[in-house]
Amino acid sequence: MASRYLIILYFFTFYFKSLSAGSNSSFSFNDFGQNSRFDSVLALYGDAKAVNDGSSLQLTVPFNSSAGRVVYRNPIKFYAGKPKKLVSFSTYFSFSISSDSNGDGLAFVVFSDGYPVDLFDDNGSFGASNGDRFKFLSVKFDSLRDEKYGDMNRNHVGIDLSSFVSLKVTNLSSVDSGLNSGNRLQAWIDYESMSRRLEVRLNKFGENRPLDPLRFERIDLPKLWPENENFFVGLSSFNRNSSQFCNVYSWSFKTRRSPDWMHSEPLDPFLLKERQENEVKIHKKTDCVMRIFSVLILGIGLGALGSFIGMFVWTLLAKRQPISPEDYARKPVVHDKASAIEIQ
């Protein structure tokens, strides 16, 4: 019996582990030395390489037209679990950009499945390709003012969606953060599937994560990528005609799935109000019918329960029917052989 319960427990443990592994993709590296074995999880492309005994990844070298990229090897599913729900994700990385201000800087990029992550476009931003053929989402820490893309200055954060013209831009000069100062910075990027909200935070290395995001945007990723499609995540840099170089000192990434009791659609307050008004109208029309139907179901259930209890009691009484005094008097009571002879 004990072995049977152990087998059942093992089965459920294996099942939930498989379910968790299928719905979560995560990694975390505080350095990129040989002991970290980062190369089994992360792939390096272009000029990207580990430097200073693995203390950092240098994506670009101080030569013109240098481009480099680090990409998480495993494809990530936009939808996970049973029932399928859009996943949320969070990433953190620390980095520095050299003082040469003629390079692009650094970008966190979400690549669509099939995107050629090993190829670089000299005419694109951060080495990425622009156009309808390849879809991407990027958060760029831009140290170059490119007028053809409407960049405001050489020190800004932008959110791009399959285009190098940013949806939203934040001037970092107004928050006392210099991208190309050579100082080490740290960034937090979070996408919440419930609200379809992308949040970006930036601070100097060693300081706490800011409470308020530096930049946020509502992005409906399911409209950009089909349900059955995967995506890849990476960090990319391109120095154009400069000697700018970019280093990444740590990087972590994690996906998570909303609990089953939480709603799977964005919490739009106007849409929620409209739905509540419609539900009230429907309830007014159907309340009477539903109440009558509920009473009928309750009556049938109670009747069936009463009949079952009655039959059960009758069966017990029939099995344990008592002997009447008259029947008991007719039956001879035999105590021993002598008594039996006298009766006869």
Side-chain angles (χ1 to χ4, degrees):
M1 183 65 70
S3 60
R4 182 183 302 174
Y5 287 122
L6 287 175
I7 292 173
I8 294 174
L9 179 62
Y10 174 81
F11 172 78
F12 278 106
T13 303
F14 177 79
Y15 172 77
F16 284 115
K17 279 186 176 180
S18 300
L19 184 61
S20 175
S23 60
N24 292 316
S25 298
S26 64
F27 62 86
S28 180
F29 292 101
N30 294 323
D31 63 77
F32 304 95
Q34 293 181 353
N35 293 333
S36 68
R37 299 182 61 84
F38 77 92
D39 52 349
S40 64
V41 178
L42 305 177
L44 301 180
Y45 299 102
D47 294 328
K49 60 182 179 180
V51 296
N52 300 326
D53 295 327
S55 63
S56 67
L57 294 179
Q58 189 175 73
L59 301 187
T60 53
V61 296
F63 299 104
N64 290 353
S65 300
S66 176
R69 186 175 296 151
V70 53
V71 178
Y72 180 42
R73 291 182 181 273
N74 297 332
I76 304 169
K77 291 186 178 298
F78 274 108
Y79 290 82
K82 294 182 180 181
K84 288 186 177 181
K85 286 190 176 183
L86 182 68
V87 298
S88 302
F89 65 80
S90 297
T91 187
Y92 164 84
F93 50 92
S94 59
F95 66 98
S96 66
I97 301 173
S98 67
S99 57
D100 194 322
S101 59
N102 291 323
D104 282 342
L106 178 68
F108 168 75
V109 188
V110 178
F111 300 98
S112 61
D113 195 4
Y115 191 101
V117 295
D118 58 335
L119 298 180
F120 294 88
D121 188 348
D122 292 342
N123 296 319
S125 183
F126 301 93
S129 298
N130 189 16
D132 298 331
R133 183 181 177 187
F134 302 115
K135 296 171 291 185
F136 65 89
L137 165 68
S138 71
V139 177
K140 61 182 183 181
F141 301 87
D142 203 340
S143 58
L144 177 68
R145 183 181 182 183
D146 198 330
E147 294 182 355
K148 65 180 178 180
Y149 299 132
D151 292 342
M152 61 169 57
N153 59 17
R154 295 178 176 180
N155 190 36
H156 64 273
V157 170
I159 299 175
D160 296 354
L161 193 60
S162 295
S163 172
F164 299 137
V165 179
S166 299
L167 299 174
K168 292 288 182 65
V169 178
T170 297
N171 184 2
L172 293 179
S173 300
S174 62
V175 293
D176 193 26
S177 294
L179 289 177
N180 58 354
S181 63
N183 296 328
R184 190 169 169 179
L185 303 172
Q186 52 186 349
W188 297 263
I189 301 172
D190 303 282
Y191 181 75
E192 293 295 337
S193 61
M194 295 289 296
S195 59
R196 308 292 201 263
R197 180 181 169 102
L198 181 72
E199 297 181 348
V200 183
R201 291 172 172 83
L202 182 70
N203 211 342
K204 297 176 182 178
F205 184 76
E207 297 188 3
N208 295 330
R209 170 189 167 108
L211 181 62
D212 298 322
L214 177 70
R215 178 79 270 166
F216 65 88
E217 180 71 11
R218 188 181 183 277
I219 300 177
D220 201 352
L221 289 182
K223 292 184 178 180
L224 184 65
W225 279 287
E227 179 178 341
N228 59 347
E229 193 166 331
N230 300 325
F231 68 96
F232 293 84
V233 293
L235 300 172
S236 189
S237 182
F238 179 42
N239 69 2
R240 296 183 182 268
N241 295 321
S242 74
S243 58
Q244 182 188 81
F245 59 93
C246 177
N247 288 70
V248 176
Y249 301 94
S250 61
W251 186 23
S252 62
F253 180 87
K254 183 178 182 180
T255 62
R256 59 191 181 280
R257 180 175 174 268
S258 301
D260 292 336
W261 53 267
M262 296 183 72
H263 206 277
S264 60
E265 296 183 5
L267 299 179
D268 188 332
F270 298 102
L271 181 60
L272 183 61
K273 181 179 179 181
E274 181 181 349
R275 287 181 178 178
Q276 289 176 343
E277 291 176 353
N278 292 336
E279 287 176 358
V280 169
K281 293 177 182 179
I282 294 173
H283 288 166
K284 287 180 179 179
K285 295 179 181 179
T286 59
D287 272 350
C288 184
V289 177
M290 291 302 296
R291 287 177 182 176
I292 295 173
F293 183 72
S294 299
V295 171
L296 289 175
I297 293 296
L298 181 61
I300 294 172
L302 291 176
L305 180 62
S307 299
F308 174 77
I309 293 174
M311 290 293 295
F312 182 74
V313 172
W314 182 85
T315 303
L316 288 179
L317 292 176
K319 289 182 177 180
R320 302 182 61 182
Q321 184 176 1
I323 301 175
S324 64
E326 293 80 3
D327 294 338
Y328 183 81
R330 294 192 192 101
K331 292 184 177 181
V333 179
V334 180
H335 298 285
D336 51 24
K337 293 181 178 181
S339 300
I341 294 172
E342 291 176 1
I343 293 174
Q344 292 176 355

